[in-house]
Amino acid sequence: MDTLKFLGTGDAMGTPRVYCGCPVCEEARLSGTNARLRSSVLVESSDDFFVIDCGPDWRRQMESLGIRVMRRLLVTHPHFDHIGGLPEWADACRWVGIKGELYAPAEVIPVILRQYPWLGSHIELKPLDEGIELDGWQIAAWRVNHGKNGYSYAFRLEKEGYAWVYCPDSISLGDEETRLMREADLLVLGTSFYHEEAELSTRSVYDMTEAAELLADVKPRRAVYTHMSHDVDLRKAYDLPDNVELGYAGKTVPLGHRIEE
Ligand SMILES: O=c1ccn([C@@H]2O[C@H](COP(=O)(O)O)[C@@H](O)[C@H]2O)c(=O)[nH]1
């Protein structure tokens, strides 16, 4: 069965935050339960894999799994914490002599190339707006509200009757934006805080209290939260819906129905 592996579950700054001495950041420095690299996942099938998002921790993430060659990548949006590793990936493609394949929404591709104009020599950038298939996964992408930071994209991946959604950066989604999340077998959702006090117009990602309302509406069978800031302490028992787990690097989730289901 295919699997989903979390490579990182942190927000844009990762945990610990460089400037911060809060108990969560200090714990992350000392014992590491709360150490979080920037959010990214790896989808593995019997003979290949692809990754979603390539933040500035990409190199460490590849090293931690002993991966020497990454051929394929999907990008949700062109913010630093999701594309900061692209130059290193392009360099790696050059040195192993492959052309990487990067799939992203058409409007995202020129933004990536504006940041890193040399990428095209070693990576082919392909639009995925009409839907693509990778390793038997039918992948649909749609634009989601990312609050004060503009827009991101979510992906729905379906194979053999199993559907899951990856949506790391979104907030205050409307009905049309949640349509493809409905009744997924798994929803991977970004929740930066448990409860974020800041005024809504200054925010960019759901918190866990708002996410509970979203889940009650779209009813995934299982949900895993990612993109968590130093506000979230994995040692705590939070009040969460029964079907929710907090992600961590190395967490692996089977992508398919178990026999007894
Ligand atoms: O146009 C932009 C705006 C922001 N960024 C970077 O993206 C993240 C945003 O943080 P979230 O918590 O995910 O909203 C941050 O690192 C900004 O520096 C960007 O790259 N481009």
Side-chain angles (χ1 to χ4, degrees):
M1 186 180 293
D2 292 8
T3 56
L4 175 68
K5 192 181 282 285
F6 287 81
L7 304 182
T9 57
D11 74 342
M13 300 212 64
T15 307
R17 292 187 174 193
V18 167
Y19 66 83
C20 187
C22 77
V24 174
C25 286
E26 292 298 358
E27 188 283 331
R29 288 184 186 103
L30 286 174
S31 49
T33 307
N34 283 299
R36 287 188 276 275
L37 302 178
R38 266 53 77 94
S39 289
S40 173
V41 290
L42 183 148
V43 180
E44 187 161 34
S45 63
S46 50
D47 48 17
D48 211 343
F49 72 90
F50 59 89
V51 168
I52 307 180
D53 287 334
C54 183
D57 298 315
W58 174 80
R59 179 175 171 279
R60 278 181 67 187
Q61 290 164 330
M62 294 299 102
E63 281 298 320
S64 73
L65 293 177
I67 294 175
R68 300 280 163 263
V69 181
M70 177 177 106
R71 263 188 340 107
R72 301 172 300 170
L73 174 75
L74 273 64
V75 172
T76 57
H77 64 302
H79 287 169
F80 175 70
D81 51 326
H82 298 259
I83 63 166
L86 289 181
E88 286 189 312
W89 179 40
D91 286 347
C93 289
R94 174 186 167 205
W95 286 103
V96 298
I98 62 165
K99 189 124 187 174
E101 294 167 35
L102 184 159
Y103 299 88
E107 68 168 337
V108 166
I109 290 175
V111 185
I112 294 175
L113 288 173
R114 214 160 43 235
Q115 312 272 20
Y116 309 120
W118 65 95
L119 279 197
S121 310
H122 304 294
I123 296 173
E124 190 179 354
L125 293 96
K126 304 179 180 192
L128 52 55
D129 307 59
E130 302 303 318
I132 56 164
E133 190 198 310
L134 292 179
D135 299 337
W137 289 102
Q138 296 294 336
I139 305 174
W142 71 102
R143 216 177 193 233
V144 289
N145 179 32
H146 189 10
K148 79 165 192 326
N149 280 331
Y151 294 93
S152 177
Y153 279 75
F155 299 138
R156 180 181 175 100
L157 300 92
E158 289 195 48
K159 183 176 182 174
E160 294 164 5
Y162 185 92
W164 66 282
V165 171
Y166 188 68
C167 183
D169 291 57
S170 71
I171 190 166
S172 305
L173 296 180
D175 285 348
E176 188 49 32
E177 292 166 301
T178 57
R179 190 173 53 81
L180 287 176
M181 287 181 177
R182 291 187 181 278
E183 294 174 18
D185 294 291
L186 169 69
L187 171 60
V188 180
L189 183 72
T191 54
S192 290
F193 289 73
Y194 179 72
H195 175 61
E196 191 170 3
E197 298 288 348
E199 214 259 301
L200 185 62
S201 64
T202 68
R203 295 175 46 213
S204 56
V205 176
Y206 275 108
D207 71 24
M208 292 182 192
T209 64
E210 297 157 337
E213 292 173 28
L214 176 70
L215 264 51
D217 180 26
V218 302
K219 299 184 176 54
R221 295 177 63 195
R222 180 177 186 181
V224 181
Y225 291 162
T226 187
H227 199 284
M228 293 172 287
S229 76
H230 66 158
D231 175 66
V232 178
D233 187 341
L234 290 189
R235 298 166 301 177
K236 275 193 191 165
Y238 290 102
D239 184 15
L240 298 171
D242 288 346
N243 59 345
V244 170
E245 299 146 60
L246 303 185
Y248 52 87
K251 183 178 177 69
T252 302
V253 178
L255 295 174
H257 296 294
R258 292 178 200 282
I259 303 294
E260 68 271 15
E261 294 176 353

